[in-house]
Structure formats: structure tokens, C-alpha cells
């Protein structure tokens, strides 16, 4: 299955490699690095690259590339899912997934990778199972290990691996029993220059944090589950019950886990939370132009849009800019021609505006490319699809747990197209 794993930082440096079957030369990564150099953004690197003797399957996450080397043909999504599990494992164990964290805990990362794959095939990928096998690092445990010469690797046989519920360990006990769910939705959308939706879909995920004693059996129902498409579940979910009744019935893992992911593909069901009025124009005579961008809330169900940021890759012939923002601040990198306008919260009573002049290089023709505006935003306590949790019921245990649901809407790949116009004279 998976022969090797390489972790690569954005500059192309390989700082971790792990081999399961036989050692694969680092030179195989040259094919990946070539594709990385050709890509405009790290996310644009092809996830599957075919070489004369290997397949290279990768993901880009937390500003790191996770690259697996495969010698035989396998389902790419299977490998991609495993790579995401590796990133989530690092995040869960050490608090963040970064190059510094991996280097600081290199020995434990190797121990975890050894348990996650057996001869190249996924074995233990559930966080709570791994934590029974390899205890998470703490300052006290590190001191004890140093003094006694012991390690974080457990010496007992896992009870979960021998049961029909391998994702949950036995004998779980909590003083405070609680179950919290986060419904997080990302909007992927393309709007044309007039604001008309060209493409829109929602990628959703339900993250769970369940800390319940014993062996609880939960049932989670939604008010409008029929709008969900392409649903994917954690192995704990009883799929037949979802197919027949559209409810989630499951015995949860202990701790944090992803309960389900889903898409909303029907474009008429995707509400666009902001509108953007934009104008980029250049004078036919001279080497100057103008930029004017206004952002406002649209379909937010009364919620506040916050964390708004507009990013624009200006044409390469731009020499300098002189802009004024009525809200927030902007930065401009003259080397990469990247303009970033950090707005913050949107106030419907006073719409933020960014406008000013653009100066072209001497003798340069008017730009022909039409730059797109990339929008970032966040809306708390709102699932933009309209999805709502109806109720959560628990069976098999007699105590009454604390329950809570939080909704978050974020921008995924949210783009607004522009058309560069020409004007005859100053107005």
C-alpha cells in the first residue's frame, strides 16, 4: 500500500521521512517539487502525480505538504484520507501541526507512524486508540521518562482493538459528562463582475467533542437533513439507519472526532453572505489607473460578518499604489503584487470602501489580465445552508449529560471576478 511518507515545508525542504516496506530514495520527490514550482498556490499542486515507477499522492495542510509514495495502484482517496489522519493526529497530540512541533517531537511522531501503518496498511488511526498505545507528552511524564528510562509506549493489550467498537476504549469515566458539536460550513463560490453567482456549493463538517462515561449510545437528528448531499460518516455511525430515517445513531469515540462531512450542491440553496462592488480601470492616455472596492453584507440572517479580508493579485506591470481604506487597513507587497485588505467586522450602516490610484511602470501597456478578488470571512452561530440540529438523545446510560451545538460559516474558495476597464480622461 503506502511505501513511504515525506513531510515537506513550503520552501521544499524535507524534514521527515518514514519508510515501511523498503527505503525509497528522496530523489522521487523531485517530480513533486517540479509540480510545486509550477503551481501558483500550494493548494494548486496536483494531489496525484504519476512517475515512471511510483505514484505520488499528497495533501497540503497547515502549511505543510504530506507526500506519500505508492508503488502499486491504489484508490487515491484512501491514501488522502490517511494523510489527513496523520495531520489530525499531530494536531491532537501536540496542539498544533507545524514543522517546529514535528521536529521537537520527532521520536514520538515516528512511534505514532509505526502504529498507524502496519507494513504499509492502515492499522490504528483513531486518536483515543493511539493514546492508549502511546501516551501524549506532558512535562511530568517527560521528567519521569528521563529519570526512569521508560518511554511513552504502553505495555498493555488494547481492549478497544479486541471489541466490535475499536474506536472507543472501555472503562471511560468523567466527573462532568458533556457532548458538544460544531457545525462548520465553508462556502466555495465564484461571482462574476456584476455579482451574479457563477458557481456555489457548501462543504460542511460536524466536529464532535464527546466526553461521556461508560458506553453511551447517541442519536442526533436534524430539522432538515434532506438538503445534504455526498455525506461521509465516521465509522461509528450506523449507516442503514441514516438511509432509512435520516438520523445519526452511534456509539461515539472518546474525545474529539469528525462525526460527518457533507456537501450542499444545489446552487439555489447556497446563500451568498456578502456582495462586492468593484471597479479596476486604467486611463487610455498615461500610466495611471483606479481601484474601487466596496464590501457589504447580503444574506446573513441577522448575524454579523466578521474576519472579512480581501486579497487581490494585481497585474505585474503595476509600479505602485496609493489607496485609502474607510475601514481596516491594507498591505501591499510590491514584489508579489499582492494587495491584502483586512476589514474585520462588516457594519451594514457604514460599508467599508477601498479606493485610490494605481501607477503603471513607465512605457508599460495597459494590463490585459483581469485580477480576481479572493474573499475571506466568518459568521458565528450560523450554518449558511440552513442546517440545524433538532435534538440529541442518549441511551444506555442513566446520567444526564451537558449538550451544546455551535454553528460557524467560513469562506472557502470565494472569488469575485473583475473586468479591467479603460477610461478616456480623469473625472
Amino acid at each position: 500500500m503506502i511505501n513511504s511518507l515525506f513531510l515537506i515545508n513550503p520552501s521544499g525542504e524535507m524534514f521527515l521521512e518514514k519508510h515501511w516496506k523498503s527505503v525509497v530514495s528522496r530523489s522521487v520527490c523531485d517530480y513533486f517539487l517540479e509540480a510545486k514550482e509550477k503551481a501558483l498556490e500550494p493548494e494548486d499542486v496536483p494531489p496525484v502525480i504519476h512517475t515512471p515507477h511510483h505514484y505520488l499522492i499528497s495533501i497540503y495542510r497547515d502549511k505543510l505538504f504530506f507526500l506519500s509514495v505508492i508503488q502499486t495502484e491504489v484508490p487515491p482517496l484512501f491514501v488522502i484520507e490517511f494523510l489527513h489522519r496523520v495531520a489530525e493526529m499531530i494536531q491532537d497530540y501536540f496542539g498544533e501541526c507545524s514543522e517546529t512541533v514535528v521536529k521537537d517531537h520527532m521520536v514520538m511522531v515516528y512511534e505514532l507512524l509505526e502504529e498507524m501503518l502496519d507494513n504499509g496498511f492502515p492499522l490504528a488511526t483513531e486518536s483515543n486508540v493511539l493514546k492508549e498505545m502511546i501516551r501524549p507528552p506532558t512535562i511530568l511524564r517527560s521528567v519521569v521518562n528521563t529519570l526512569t528510562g521508560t518511554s511513552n509506549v504502553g505495555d498493555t493489550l488494547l481492549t478497544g482493538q479486541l471489541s466490535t467498537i475499536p474506536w472507543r476504549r472501555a472503562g471511560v469515566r468523567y466527573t462532568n459528562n458533556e457532548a458538544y458539536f460544531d457545525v462548520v460550513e465553508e462556502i466555495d463560490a465564484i461571482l462574476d463582475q456584476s455579482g451574479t453567482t457563477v458557481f456555489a456549493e457548501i462543504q460542511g463538517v460536524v466536529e464532535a467533542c464527546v466526553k461521556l462515561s461508560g458506553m453511551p449510545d447517541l442519536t442526533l437528528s436534524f430539522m432538515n437533513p434532506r438538503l445534504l448531499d455526498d455525506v461521509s460518516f465516521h465509522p461509528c455511525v450506523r449507516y442503514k439507519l441514516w438511509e432509512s430515517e435520516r438520523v445519526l445513531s452511534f456509539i461515539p469515540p472518546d474525545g474529539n472526532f469528525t462525526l460527518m462531512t457533507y456537501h450542499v450542491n444545489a446552487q439555489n440553496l447556497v446563500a451568498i453572505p456578502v456582495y462586492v462592488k468593484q471597479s479596476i480601470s486604467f486611463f487610455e492616455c498615461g500610466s495611471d489607473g483606479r481601484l474601487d472596492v466596496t464590501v457589504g453584507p447580503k444574506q446573513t440572517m441577522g448575524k454579523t460578518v466578521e474576519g472579512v479580508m480581501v486579497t487581490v493579485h494585481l497585474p505585474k506591470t503595476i509600479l505602485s499604489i496609493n489607496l485609502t481604506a474607510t475601514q481596516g487597513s491594507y498591505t501591499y507587497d510590491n514584489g508579489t503584487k499582492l494587495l491584502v485588505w483586512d476589514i474585520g467586522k462588516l457594519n451594514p450602516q457604514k460599508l467599508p470602501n477601498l479606493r485610490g490610484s494605481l501607477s503603471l511602470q513607465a512605457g508599460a501597456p495597459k494590463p490585459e489580465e483581469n485580477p480576481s478578488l479572493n474573499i475571506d470571512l466568518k459568521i458565528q452561530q450560523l450554518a449558511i445552508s440552513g442546517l440545524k440540529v433538532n435534538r440529541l438523545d442518549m441511551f444506555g446510560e442513566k446520567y444526564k449529560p451537558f449538550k451544546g451545538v455551535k454553528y460557524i460559516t467560513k469562506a472557502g474558495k470565494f472569488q469575485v471576478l473583475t473586468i479591467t476597464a479603460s477610461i478616456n480622461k480623469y473625472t
Side-chain angles (χ1 to χ4, degrees):
M1 178 67 76
I2 299 176
N3 289 73
S4 303
L5 173 69
F6 295 92
L7 264 60
I8 305 174
N9 63 21
S11 62
E13 175 191 353
M14 285 169 276
F15 60 93
L16 181 143
E17 61 179 285
K18 170 66 178 170
H19 307 280
W20 282 275
K21 293 187 176 181
S22 59
V23 176
V24 177
S25 172
R26 284 191 170 194
S27 61
V28 73
C29 298
D30 292 343
Y31 296 97
F32 171 81
L33 296 176
E34 288 178 10
K36 173 183 169 296
E37 291 298 321
K38 294 178 182 178
L40 295 176
E41 299 289 343
E43 295 85 354
D44 297 334
V45 177
V48 181
I49 300 174
H50 177 57
T51 72
H53 303 289
H54 303 88
Y55 293 97
L56 305 181
I57 302 178
S58 66
I59 64 169
Y60 180 72
R61 180 162 169 171
D62 299 312
K63 297 183 180 179
L64 296 176
F65 291 100
F66 294 76
L67 176 66
S68 60
V69 180
I70 316 294
Q71 286 186 329
T72 57
E73 200 167 313
V74 299
L77 291 179
F78 188 86
V79 180
I80 288 173
E81 174 63 22
F82 173 77
L83 295 178
H84 280 291
R85 294 287 183 97
V86 173
E88 289 164 2
M89 173 271 297
I90 296 174
Q91 171 79 32
D92 193 30
Y93 259 76
F94 311 116
E96 67 172 313
C97 182
S98 66
E99 180 180 358
T100 303
V101 166
V102 172
K103 288 182 176 179
D104 289 345
H105 302 88
M106 190 72 77
V107 173
M108 184 170 288
V109 171
Y110 274 112
E111 290 173 347
L112 289 166
L113 292 175
E114 193 66 37
E115 299 296 343
M116 294 182 76
L117 278 188
D118 180 26
N119 198 34
F121 289 85
L123 177 63
T125 58
E126 290 295 333
S127 177
N128 62 89
V129 173
L130 285 169
K131 286 178 180 177
E132 279 195 86
M133 302 166 72
I134 301 173
R135 292 179 286 272
T138 62
I139 296 176
L140 178 60
R141 188 168 291 144
S142 299
V143 172
V144 172
N145 290 347
T146 303
L147 295 175
T148 62
T150 57
S151 71
N152 287 324
V153 179
D155 55 2
T156 58
L157 188 63
L158 299 181
T159 56
Q161 292 293 83
L162 302 178
S163 73
T164 57
I165 311 172
W167 54 83
R168 186 175 180 86
R169 59 191 176 92
V172 181
R173 287 291 179 267
Y174 286 102
T175 303
N176 296 321
N177 293 281
E178 52 192 19
Y180 299 110
F181 298 88
D182 291 351
V183 180
V184 183
E185 296 189 341
E186 288 192 356
I187 307 173
D188 295 334
I190 298 176
L191 310 181
D192 65 15
Q193 61 275 8
S194 64
T196 304
T197 302
V198 178
F199 165 82
E201 72 172 8
I202 295 172
Q203 315 279 352
V205 60
V206 178
E207 299 284 356
C209 178
V210 178
K211 296 181 179 180
L212 300 176
S213 303
M215 197 67 69
D217 199 327
L218 303 181
T219 300
L220 182 71
S221 60
F222 300 98
M223 295 182 65
N224 41 5
R226 299 290 175 181
L227 59 85
L228 304 181
D229 300 314
D230 195 15
V231 183
S232 175
F233 300 108
H234 187 279
C236 68
V237 175
R238 301 178 178 98
Y239 185 65
K240 287 187 177 180
L241 198 59
W242 168 263
E243 279 192 317
S244 60
E245 301 182 23
R246 284 297 188 265
V247 297
L248 298 181
S249 176
F250 58 99
I251 296 176
D254 181 42
N256 300 307
F257 65 99
T258 300
L259 179 61
M260 66 179 289
T261 61
Y262 60 89
H263 291 174
V264 178
N265 295 322
Q267 193 160 296
N268 60 329
L269 296 177
V270 180
I272 304 299
V274 296
Y275 67 88
V276 180
K277 294 181 180 179
Q278 45 71 33
S279 172
I280 301 177
S281 55
F282 294 92
F283 299 109
E284 291 186 354
C285 299
S287 58
D288 292 324
R290 286 183 175 178
L291 180 143
D292 192 334
V293 180
T294 302
V295 182
K298 191 177 180 182
Q299 295 172 296
T300 63
M301 289 75 167
K303 304 295 183 180
T304 301
V305 184
E306 56 189 36
V308 180
M309 186 177 295
V310 180
T311 306
V312 191
H313 282 278
L314 293 176
K316 296 180 179 180
T317 53
I318 296 292
L319 178 63
S320 62
I321 66 173
N322 183 16
L323 306 175
T324 301
T326 62
Q327 180 181 330
S329 60
Y330 76 89
T331 58
Y332 178 66
D333 187 332
N334 201 35
T336 60
K337 309 299 180 185
L338 182 65
L339 171 64
V340 179
W341 179 24
D342 189 351
I343 300 173
K345 290 185 179 180
L346 288 184
N347 182 2
Q349 308 303 323
K350 187 178 180 181
L351 299 180
N353 175 264
L354 179 69
R355 69 172 63 185
S357 60
L358 310 174
S359 298
L360 295 173
Q361 299 172 6
K366 292 188 298 297
E368 294 183 358
E369 63 264 36
N370 298 317
S372 60
L373 279 63
N374 296 301
I375 311 297
D376 195 12
L377 58 86
K378 181 182 291 186
I379 306 175
Q380 300 284 355
Q381 293 305 319
L382 173 67
I384 200 70
S385 67
L387 182 69
K388 289 185 178 181
V389 173
N390 183 28
R391 59 184 296 166
L392 174 68
D393 298 312
M394 185 181 74
F395 307 95
E397 299 292 339
K398 296 182 179 180
Y399 58 83
K400 187 176 181 181
F402 295 100
K403 299 177 285 186
V405 179
K406 183 171 66 175
Y407 301 92
I408 302 175
T409 294
K410 301 189 293 185
K413 293 185 177 180
F414 195 113
Q415 290 187 332
V416 180
L417 306 180
T418 67
I419 290 183
T420 303
S422 299
I423 50 180
N424 294 320
K425 59 182 180 180
Y426 292 92
T427 56

